[in-house]
Amino acid sequence: MLIKIFVDDKPIYLTNKLTDELKTLSEKKSVKVIKNVATIDGLSYYDDIKNNTTTAIIIIADDVPQLQQQFFKAFTTIEAAGGIVLNESKEVLFIYRRNKWDLPKGKVESGESLTIAAAREVEEETGVKNLQLKRKIGETYHIYEERNQTIVKISHWYYFTTTSHQKTTPQTEEDISEVKWIATKNIKQPMANTYKNIKEIMSVFFDTP
């Protein structure tokens, strides 16, 4: 089991074993490997990777869910949900916000299901409607600071389809300046200017049958 948490574009890995990729990564001097520690202080690892030359941290434990629980308890947790939306023309729905390409997502409201939240956020941020839920793609994790809080955001991602040629409307009050359908064959364009967690979930999406 492997959980990847981003601090800006730097990853913290929670895992029960070293994959070939992690073995290669662990050989770099700027990468720290932590094995079988008795207690986990998530904030200390966050501060390390945020403020020092550490480029990645790999924490290994037999029980990854328990490791995750211990790691996350140091932070305020926010649940978010969003969508990878594909239309009939094989185009993916992207938003442009704060000089980066992104996928529509937002905070889950109290009492709201994850799937309802994902569909609502897509519609609110882009104006695209008639969404047909297909399946869940996965989760991404990132840590950031806001209003004197250090937050770990868990974003739940769902695959939706919809009809082509819908009018799009960017939610400008959420700093979205553009909504754009981008053909899957041109997907490298937004991926060259996006966040690591978006690259992560898009790679999962395209690798899933």
Side-chain angles (χ1 to χ4, degrees):
M1 186 175 180
L2 175 65
I3 295 172
K4 188 185 296 187
I5 308 159
F6 284 102
V7 178
D8 296 327
D9 281 343
K10 296 180 179 181
I12 299 174
Y13 298 88
L14 309 182
T15 185
N16 59 348
K17 65 178 181 179
L18 285 178
T19 63
D20 290 341
E21 178 186 356
L22 291 181
K23 286 178 182 177
T24 301
L25 184 64
S26 68
E27 294 171 358
K28 296 182 178 179
K29 291 183 178 179
S30 60
V31 175
K32 293 187 176 180
V33 179
I34 316 297
K35 296 182 180 180
N36 300 318
V37 291
T39 59
I40 294 292
D41 181 1
L43 279 175
S44 67
Y45 294 119
Y46 167 75
D47 289 339
D48 184 2
I49 202 167
K50 177 77 175 177
N51 300 313
N52 296 317
T53 57
T54 302
T55 57
I57 298 174
I58 303 169
I59 306 174
I60 306 170
D62 292 334
D63 190 336
V64 176
Q66 183 180 5
L67 175 64
Q68 178 186 359
Q69 185 179 17
Q70 290 180 0
F71 187 92
F72 282 10
K73 71 181 181 181
F75 307 98
T76 299
T77 300
I78 290 179
E79 300 269 355
I84 298 174
V85 184
L86 195 68
N87 68 18
E88 296 167 330
S89 300
K90 303 299 181 185
E91 296 169 322
V92 179
L93 184 66
F94 281 92
I95 59 174
Y96 195 73
R97 172 163 45 197
R98 300 167 189 160
N99 301 314
K100 292 273 191 179
W101 288 107
D102 204 345
L103 295 169
K105 71 174 183 308
K107 187 177 178 181
V108 178
E109 295 179 355
S110 178
E112 189 176 35
S113 72
L114 294 174
T115 54
I116 293 296
R120 174 183 55 77
E121 286 293 339
V122 169
E123 184 172 338
E124 288 178 355
E125 292 194 345
T126 70
V128 172
K129 303 179 181 180
N130 303 319
L131 299 168
Q132 301 296 316
L133 176 64
K134 294 300 182 181
R135 65 177 184 272
K136 186 171 186 179
I137 302 300
E139 299 90 28
T140 57
Y141 307 85
H142 75 279
I143 302 173
Y144 61 98
E145 296 177 32
E146 184 177 85
R147 298 175 185 174
N148 297 318
Q149 293 186 88
T150 307
I151 297 166
V152 58
K153 180 178 281 187
I154 307 171
S155 298
H156 302 266
W157 296 99
Y158 293 87
Y159 168 35
F160 295 96
T161 58
T162 191
T163 54
S164 303
H165 311 302
Q166 289 191 49
K167 181 182 178 182
T168 59
T169 305
Q171 191 178 22
T172 53
E173 58 266 36
E174 291 293 332
D175 297 326
I176 300 171
S177 57
E178 184 179 1
V179 177
K180 187 175 183 179
W181 290 104
I182 298 178
T184 54
K185 65 180 180 180
N186 298 326
I187 209 70
K188 289 183 179 180
Q189 174 200 341
M191 291 298 97
N193 182 28
T194 191
Y195 303 98
K196 284 285 184 72
N197 58 347
I198 298 301
K199 291 181 180 180
E200 191 80 11
I201 201 64
M202 288 298 292
S203 68
V204 173
F205 173 68
F206 282 110
D207 286 344
T208 304

